[in-house]
């Protein structure tokens, strides 16, 4: 998520830089256009003085034509660059839109996951409560089993004691019989 946010921030930053460069290029184009207009006016002025400075004007005209070609070439280049920048800007806007959609999808997934975590936490709490109850029941049953074993041992001891007492009574009777004989 942080990577997507950083990518979005980078794209926005690049968009700002492109907008500034676009404004700069428009300004430069406007300046060049004004310069072109100024030179055209200068050309008209020189044509009015053509009789006096005909040779000089030919050189100026030739120079201005060369400069005009350069300016036209520069303007064409700037327009091409501007068009490329517009296409690039459109592409970046599409990428940002796609990234925004991905971010929204991830945020939705995160919300769903949080809801699932809440449900799981609730289930875990219920199971912990049930486990505590079962452990308490188990402890009670262990106690009951221990008491039952103790009772069983006492019962066995009692039974042995009764058998021992019966043997003693039989021995006493045999002794009495022997004594009587």
């Amino acid at each position: 998520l942080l990577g997507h946010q950083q990518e979005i921030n980078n794209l926005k930053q690049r968009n700002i830089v492109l907008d500034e460069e676009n404004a700069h290029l428009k300004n430069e184009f406007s300046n060049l256009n004004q310069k072109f207009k100024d030179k055209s006016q200068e050309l008209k002025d020189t044509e009015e003085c053509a009789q006096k400075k005909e040779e000089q004007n030919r050189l100026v005209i030739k120079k201005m034509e060369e400069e005009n070609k350069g300016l036209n070439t520069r303007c064409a280049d700037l327009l091409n660059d501007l068009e490329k920048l517009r296409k690039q800007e459109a592409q970046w806007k599409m990428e940002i839109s796609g990234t925004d959609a991905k971010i929204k999808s991830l945020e939705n997934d995160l919300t769903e996951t949080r809801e699932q975590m809440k449900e799981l936490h609730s289930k875990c709490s219920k199971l912990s409560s049930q486990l505590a109850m079962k452990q308490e029941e188990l402890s009670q049953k262990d106690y009951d089993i221990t008491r039952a074993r103790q009772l069983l041992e006492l019962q066995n001891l009692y039974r042995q004691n009764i058998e021992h007492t019966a043997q003693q009574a039989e021995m006493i009777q045999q002794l009495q019989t022997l004594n009587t004989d």
Side-chain angles (χ1 to χ4, degrees):
L1 186 61
L2 289 175
H4 287 299
Q5 187 63 42
Q6 184 65 37
E7 185 178 340
I8 288 170
N9 290 339
N10 289 342
L11 289 174
K12 286 181 180 177
Q13 197 68 6
R14 284 179 68 186
N15 195 15
I16 290 169
V17 170
L18 286 175
D19 285 345
E20 290 173 357
E21 187 175 337
N22 192 7
H24 175 71
L25 290 174
K26 283 181 180 179
N27 191 23
E28 187 175 341
F29 177 76
S30 176
N31 290 340
L32 290 173
N33 202 15
Q34 186 60 44
K35 197 172 181 181
F36 177 75
K37 287 178 183 177
D38 292 343
K39 291 294 180 179
S40 294
Q41 184 61 44
E42 187 179 323
L43 180 61
K44 286 179 183 178
D45 292 342
T46 50
E47 285 175 352
E48 291 174 3
C49 299
Q51 293 175 1
K52 294 179 182 177
K53 301 179 179 181
E54 189 174 328
E55 189 61 39
Q56 214 174 24
N57 283 344
R58 284 184 196 149
L59 295 173
V60 170
I61 290 171
K62 191 174 183 179
K63 181 180 176 185
M64 287 182 72
E65 286 175 351
E66 289 174 5
E67 193 172 324
N68 194 16
K69 280 184 183 178
L71 289 175
N72 285 336
T73 303
R74 179 69 177 143
C75 285
D77 291 344
L78 289 174
L79 287 172
N80 286 337
D81 290 346
L82 182 61
E83 188 60 32
K84 286 178 186 176
L85 290 173
R86 284 183 179 154
K87 287 180 182 177
Q88 204 171 31
E89 180 184 16
Q91 181 182 357
W92 286 340
K93 283 182 180 178
M94 287 175 58
E95 289 175 5
I96 288 171
S97 176
T99 304
D100 286 345
K102 286 179 186 176
I103 288 172
K104 190 170 185 175
S105 174
L106 289 172
E107 285 174 347
N108 289 339
D109 290 349
L110 181 60
T111 303
E112 288 177 16
T113 304
R114 284 183 179 155
E115 289 299 320
Q116 290 174 357
M117 287 295 289
K118 285 179 184 177
E119 289 175 16
L120 289 174
H121 185 68
S122 174
K123 286 180 182 178
C124 186
S125 295
K126 288 178 184 177
L127 289 174
S128 294
S129 175
Q130 289 175 359
L131 179 63
M133 288 173 49
K134 293 292 181 187
Q135 285 177 336
E136 192 175 318
E137 289 176 15
L138 186 62
S139 295
Q140 183 63 41
K141 287 181 181 178
D142 282 346
Y143 177 75
D144 291 346
I145 289 172
T146 303
R147 295 288 292 156
R149 283 183 184 154
Q150 289 173 350
L151 287 174
L152 189 60
E153 286 177 20
L154 284 174
Q155 195 175 24
N156 286 338
L157 285 174
Y158 180 72
R159 197 176 304 124
Q160 288 173 0
N161 196 9
I162 289 174
E163 289 173 6
H164 188 58
T165 304
Q167 287 174 357
Q168 283 181 348
E170 190 178 321
M171 284 180 96
I172 289 172
Q173 191 173 6
Q174 287 175 357
L175 285 173
Q176 284 177 349
T177 305
L178 283 174
N179 195 16
T180 323
D181 288 341

